Amino acid sequence: MKDKRILFVSSEVVPYLPETELSKTAFASAKNAHSKGVQTRIFMPRYGVINERRHQLHEVIRLSGMNLVVNDIDMPLIIKVASIPKERMQVYFIDNEEYFKRKAVFTDEDDELFEDNDERAIFFAKGVVETVKKLNWAPDVIHIHGWMASLLPLYLKEFYKEEPLFTESKIVTSLYKNGFEGELNSDLAEKVQFDLNNPEKIKTIQTPNHNNILKSAIENSDAIIHGSETIDEDLASFIEKQEKPVLEYQEENLKEAYLNFYAELIAAN
C-alpha cells in the first residue's frame, strides 16, 4: 500500500470533535495508513464548535471561492486546512457560513435535528469532490465514515460518474451503531434528484431516515466495513443481499486488517 492514495471522509474526527467510536476510528484508520507510507487526505465539515485558533485552521484561498449549487441555490464553498499535531497529516474542512457557522454539530439546543441537515450533507459531498478535483489528487480508495458523509458514494457514482479523477477509485463505507432518531428534511430526495436526474437512484432515500441514508451509501460503495461490534439488524440484513466485500468488526487488528482490505480492493481493479 506504500504510496497509494486514500481519501478519508468523515462526519467526525478527533481531535476536532469529542471522542466517539466513529471519530476515533476515522482518525485511527487514517493515522495507521499514513504510518505505512500511504498518502492520505482527511475531509470533514467545519462545524462551528471547532476552535479554529486552538487547532490552527486557516483558509486556503486557492481552493475556496467557488459556488456549489444546492437545491438550485448557489452556496459559497470555503476550504480550511489544519495539520494534526505530531502526525503530519492534513485535514481539510468543508465550510459555508449558512450551513456550518452555528455552534452545534447535528442538533439544536432542544436536541432536534437541524432542518437543513439534508442540504448540509449534499453540500459536504459536493464540496469534498470539487476540492479533490482542484487538488488534482486521484484517490485509490475513498473511505466514508458517518451519515453526514453518506451521500458521497451516490454522488460519486452518479453526479460525478464521468469525472476521470475517480474512475479507478474504490469506495468503502464504514457502518457504526450510532445514528439519529427521526428523519431529515422530507425534500432530501427531491433535492438530490435536482442533481442526478435519475429517479431510480433516489428511491432508497425517499424516506430520509438514518438507515435509508446508509443504505444508499452501501448500494453505491464497493465494500463495507463494520465499524462497530454490533450494527442495526436491518442494515446487516441489507448488506448480506449486496454481495460485496465485507470486513467484520476489528477490535484489536484494525491497523493491518484495514490496510489488507484496501489492498485487496485495489488489486481487484
Side-chain angles (χ1 to χ4, degrees):
M1 287 295 295
K2 184 175 173 58
D3 293 327
K4 295 295 185 182
R5 295 177 171 184
I6 303 182
L7 173 64
F8 294 90
V9 185
S10 183
S11 300
E12 310 164 38
V13 180
V14 292
Y16 305 105
L17 289 179
E19 286 193 4
T20 62
E21 184 173 49
L22 192 160
S23 66
K24 291 190 296 183
T25 305
F27 168 72
S29 55
K31 176 184 175 182
N32 293 338
H34 184 73
S35 70
K36 291 293 187 179
V38 177
Q39 295 184 45
T40 62
R41 297 287 187 277
I42 304 172
F43 278 74
M44 69 175 292
R46 205 293 295 178
Y47 306 107
V49 296
I50 296 173
N51 188 314
E52 293 197 13
R53 179 176 295 178
R54 181 192 308 152
H55 296 296
Q56 299 182 344
L57 273 67
H58 61 273
E59 183 176 351
V60 185
I61 302 300
R62 67 183 179 86
L63 297 177
S64 301
M66 76 175 79
N67 285 339
L68 303 180
V69 178
V70 178
N71 196 27
D72 206 18
I73 298 174
D74 283 354
M75 303 299 291
L77 172 64
I78 300 169
I79 302 299
K80 295 176 180 176
V81 68
S83 294
I84 296 180
K86 301 179 183 178
E87 306 299 338
R88 295 185 179 179
M89 293 166 53
Q90 282 197 314
V91 181
Y92 291 82
F93 296 84
I94 301 297
D95 198 5
N96 171 272
E97 289 283 309
E98 182 71 22
Y99 291 139
F100 295 112
K101 186 176 182 179
R102 68 199 69 161
K103 298 293 184 180
V105 180
F106 305 128
T107 57
D108 61 21
E109 61 272 13
D110 298 319
D111 205 29
E112 296 289 333
L113 289 168
F114 288 121
E115 182 70 15
D116 64 352
N117 272 341
D118 60 329
E119 295 187 8
R120 298 168 89 206
I122 293 171
F123 184 87
F124 182 51
K126 296 175 83 168
V128 169
V129 177
E130 294 297 341
T131 304
V132 174
K133 284 170 60 179
K134 276 201 169 185
L135 291 170
N136 196 30
W137 195 80
D140 296 289
V141 175
I142 301 170
H143 192 166
I144 310 296
H145 301 262
W147 68 264
M148 181 65 83
S150 293
L151 291 180
L152 182 54
L154 174 60
Y155 270 82
L156 284 168
K157 293 291 188 181
E158 292 299 319
F159 189 63
Y160 293 101
K161 61 185 176 183
E162 303 299 332
E163 175 52 56
L165 206 65
F166 304 102
T167 53
E168 300 297 322
S169 301
K170 295 293 187 179
I171 304 172
V172 179
T173 291
S174 279
L175 302 177
Y176 299 88
K177 62 183 177 183
N178 67 325
F180 60 81
E181 298 293 329
E183 299 177 5
L184 300 187
N185 190 301
S186 60
D187 293 332
L188 170 62
E190 182 179 331
K191 293 170 184 176
V192 173
Q193 169 73 358
F194 177 83
D195 288 326
L196 305 190
N197 197 28
N198 185 344
E200 286 297 314
K201 291 297 181 178
I202 63 168
K203 283 185 176 180
T204 305
I205 56 173
Q206 287 288 353
T207 300
N209 58 33
H210 181 258
N211 277 14
N212 286 344
I213 292 169
L214 289 180
K215 285 178 181 179
S216 172
I218 292 166
E219 286 177 329
N220 292 284
S221 294
D222 298 295
I224 308 299
I225 294 177
H226 287 222
S228 295
E229 187 171 5
T230 58
I231 62 172
D232 187 275
E233 290 183 7
D234 180 42
L235 288 178
S237 176
F238 186 79
I239 293 169
E240 289 179 3
K241 299 174 184 176
Q242 301 301 305
E243 298 183 353
K244 295 180 179 181
V246 176
L247 180 65
E248 299 296 336
Y249 175 68
Q250 302 293 313
E251 185 172 9
E252 298 177 354
N253 193 34
L254 183 149
K255 187 172 185 176
E256 293 302 325
Y258 277 33
L259 287 174
N260 290 338
F261 196 58
Y262 300 146
E264 290 171 5
L265 291 174
I266 294 171
N269 262 354

